[in-house]
Amino acid sequence: MTAPPCIPAQSVIAMAASAGGLHALSVILGGLPADFPAAIAIVMHLSPVHKSLLAEILSSRSQLEVRQAQTGDILCHSSVFVAPPNHHMSVVKGGRIALSSDEAEKVHFARPSAEPLFASVAEVYQSHAIAVVLTGGDGDGSFGVQIIKDRGGKVIAQDRPTSQDFSMPQSSIRTGDVDFILPLTEIAPMLIELIVPGKA
């Protein structure tokens, strides 16, 4: 089956997760329709020494097209791009993905880190950027959510009861720049409400 033509995304959702992230991402992506009119870029803290099956697993649990990101990929509607292990992922002008080298400096002890992704999505997509901070340890994403908010975007954090590790969402919430603190099952409906006209 041939892939549908790429419709360059006008809105981009940047998601970050760590411990418990596979379940969280599966629930959210599984709750979005096949014609979801935005692109999603995902950073999850993964072992740098093993091949990642994250994209394949999420693809089996979602109607969206999920792939491991490569430099030069265009952010398209209804598509999900997963950062590969050991590479930071950023978005550059024109809505293209850029991956760092595997020797780039770690951020919050992580590579990939949410910070380069969030900051770059904010710069390129401004008020059409959404950050989603999911279950995980440490404070990854807490600087990036402030940039998203400064550029007019929205920020969602997973709530404590549904997080396996609340450290990452809590760090973002403490910035004061989180718009919605939601249980896991309510994040996909909120994304639909924010992205799809007439669904509010």
Side-chain angles (χ1 to χ4, degrees):
M1 191 173 85
T2 57
C6 173
I7 303 173
Q10 302 303 307
S11 299
V12 172
I13 300 161
M15 297 186 182
S18 188
L22 176 58
H23 171 68
L25 292 166
S26 297
V27 170
I28 294 168
L29 297 185
L32 298 174
D35 60 349
F36 187 60
I40 298 171
I42 293 173
V43 163
M44 183 161 150
H45 300 159
L46 299 164
S47 167
V49 297
H50 299 293
K51 179 181 183 293
S52 172
L53 297 175
L54 181 60
E56 288 89 336
I57 294 169
L58 292 176
S59 180
S60 71
R61 299 176 181 180
S62 172
Q63 298 181 73
L64 304 173
E65 183 180 344
V66 185
R67 69 185 82 166
Q68 184 164 289
Q70 298 181 351
T71 292
D73 282 345
I74 299 174
L75 291 164
C76 306
H77 277 191
S78 310
S79 295
V80 180
F81 299 85
V82 178
N86 226 21
H87 297 268
H88 294 307
M89 180 165 67
S90 300
V91 177
V92 297
K93 193 173 180 180
R96 290 184 181 272
I97 287 173
L99 300 179
S100 75
S101 80
D102 59 6
E103 297 178 349
E105 186 175 350
K106 292 184 178 182
V107 182
H108 296 297
F109 308 104
R111 186 178 56 236
S113 161
E115 305 296 5
L117 176 63
F118 285 5
S120 63
V121 168
E123 291 297 336
V124 175
Y125 289 92
Q126 304 280 316
S127 63
H128 297 284
I130 299 174
V132 181
V133 183
L134 300 171
T135 175
D138 75 42
D140 196 18
S142 56
F143 297 118
V145 298
Q146 297 173 69
I147 302 171
I148 292 267
K149 196 66 181 164
D150 285 345
R151 300 297 187 275
K154 297 289 187 187
V155 181
I156 298 171
Q158 188 175 349
D159 71 357
R160 183 187 296 272
T162 64
S163 293
Q164 180 176 317
D165 188 328
F166 190 55
S167 304
M168 219 158 88
Q170 186 174 45
S171 294
S172 289
I173 291 165
R174 284 176 174 159
T175 67
D177 288 323
V178 172
D179 296 287
F180 308 100
I181 304 168
L182 299 174
L184 181 58
T185 55
E186 293 182 18
I187 294 175
M190 177 56 70
L191 292 173
I192 294 169
E193 188 172 310
L194 292 171
I195 293 291
V196 182
K199 288 288 186 181

